[in-house]
Amino acid sequence: MILELAHFQILAAALFCLGLYGVLARRSAVMVLMAVELMLNAVNINLVAFSAFRDISIVTGQVIAIFVITVAAAEIGLALAVIMRLYRRRGTVNVDEIDWMKG
Amino acid sequence: MGLILFYILGGLTLVAALGVVTTRNIVYGALFLLVAMSGVAGLFVLLFAEFLALVQLLIYGGAIIIVILFALMLTRTTDFSVATEHRRWPMAAVISLALFGLLAGAAIGDSGDYNTYQRSGISIEELGKGLFENWAVPFEIASIVLLVALIGAIVIGRSGEEEGGEGDQG
């Protein structure tokens, strides 16, 4: 049995769903962020796998993966600044207690 | 050989990811995340994407984990040791499992269309050519995104004089 694209797809799906569970179930904002990073990584695995298993001259998958990593880095820096600010103001990073925008 | 490496790296990644979303200690969660990211870098090597594996280790392993650890250090609270999960976590688990079933079923159902291909590598030279010729404009936009995020993080994270006012929510 050889390594096929479906292996990587199922692994990426499992990683994405673990990240989804973390986003939905965790209460700490930092933990939610880490779960989002897991989901972004699952997407990257999918992109690179499709890139590797198709035509050799197509670099699109890897290039988009680089952009995803870039945006993830920007996102984590900004989000952690927001969390820090929130903690200084409210004294908590529990996403259940942050309901200022509740109508 | 590739299959064995895939199972080792994939298992490591999934176990570490499970640790990230289930551990009660947030610092352990960050370290599990480091293991998961390293596993993904190994999978990139398995897909002949050496440059991406390097970038993955540098940015995730180097930068993001350190930033998360700093954030944990500065926002350490004690109330998560008793209630780290939302009380509706079974619903989240059901939703995740359902989505996994859907995605895995789609992957297996479609596998006949793709599995005739063998995996093959892209050289860094080709990657750079693609990045700077076909993807030059998105590349520049990505640099602007990074700059804006940097300035935004500094502006938001800076301790202003309006700090501490619970009443003002502007």
Side-chain angles (χ1 to χ4, degrees), chain A residues 2 4-5 11 17 21 25-27 37 41 52-54 56 58 60 80 85 87-90 96, chain B residues 23 37 43 56 60 67 83-86 96 100 114-115 117-118 120 122 156-158 162 166 168:
Chain A
I2 59 160
E4 289 173 339
L5 179 60
L11 176 77
C17 293
Y21 170 76
R26 296 299 248 183
R27 289 167 74 230
E37 295 302 313
N41 264 277
F53 277 92
R54 297 310 300 263
I56 190 168
I58 298 174
T60 308
L80 287 176
R85 181 94 180 197
Y87 179 71
R88 280 209 304 260
R89 190 170 280 211
R90 292 309 284 286
D96 288 346
Chain B
T23 180
M37 298 305 170
L43 287 169
Q56 172 90 4
Y60 279 109
V67 172
T84 172
E85 261 109 29
H86 199 277
S96 304
F100 174 70
Y114 298 106
N115 283 344
Y117 291 89
Q118 290 288 311
S120 52
I122 296 166
I156 292 171
R158 187 189 50 163
E162 77 276 20
E166 184 67 35
D168 90 286

Side-chain angles (χ1 to χ4, degrees), chain B:
Chain B
M1 182 63 193
L3 203 63
I4 297 167
L5 277 176
F6 172 81
Y7 281 126
I8 292 172
L9 288 169
L12 185 73
T13 306
L14 285 184
V15 168
L18 197 65
V20 171
V21 295
T22 55
T23 180
R24 295 195 165 263
N25 189 331
I26 297 188
V27 178
Y28 288 170
L31 295 177
F32 272 128
L33 187 67
L34 177 60
V35 176
M37 298 305 170
S38 308
V40 173
L43 287 169
F44 284 167
V45 172
L46 215 53
L47 287 165
F48 299 116
E50 301 91 356
F51 178 71
L52 265 177
L54 210 65
V55 166
Q56 172 90 4
L57 278 181
L58 273 177
I59 293 183
Y60 279 109
I64 287 183
I65 297 292
I66 300 291
V67 172
I68 286 177
L69 283 176
F70 262 102
L72 290 179
M73 200 175 74
L74 295 172
T75 64
R76 195 73 183 273
T77 49
T78 51
D79 57 335
F80 292 115
S81 57
V82 285
T84 172
E85 261 109 29
H86 199 277
R87 66 183 176 283
R88 286 196 296 268
W89 68 268
M91 197 182 281
V94 167
I95 290 173
S96 304
L97 279 176
L99 183 66
F100 174 70
L102 197 69
L103 290 175
I108 292 170
D110 265 357
S111 61
D113 296 342
Y114 298 106
N115 283 344
T116 51
Y117 291 89
Q118 290 288 311
R119 69 185 200 283
S120 52
I122 296 166
S123 68
I124 294 179
E125 219 177 316
E126 277 180 85
L127 185 62
K129 240 182 230 165
L131 187 59
F132 289 107
E133 282 174 6
N134 302 330
W135 293 83
V137 175
F139 182 81
E140 297 300 332
I141 293 173
S143 63
I144 292 174
V145 166
L146 274 180
L147 181 68
V148 169
L150 186 71
I151 295 171
I154 291 171
V155 169
I156 292 171
R158 187 189 50 163
S159 54
E161 54 272 15
E162 77 276 20
E163 211 53 53
E166 184 67 35
D168 90 286
Q169 305 196 341

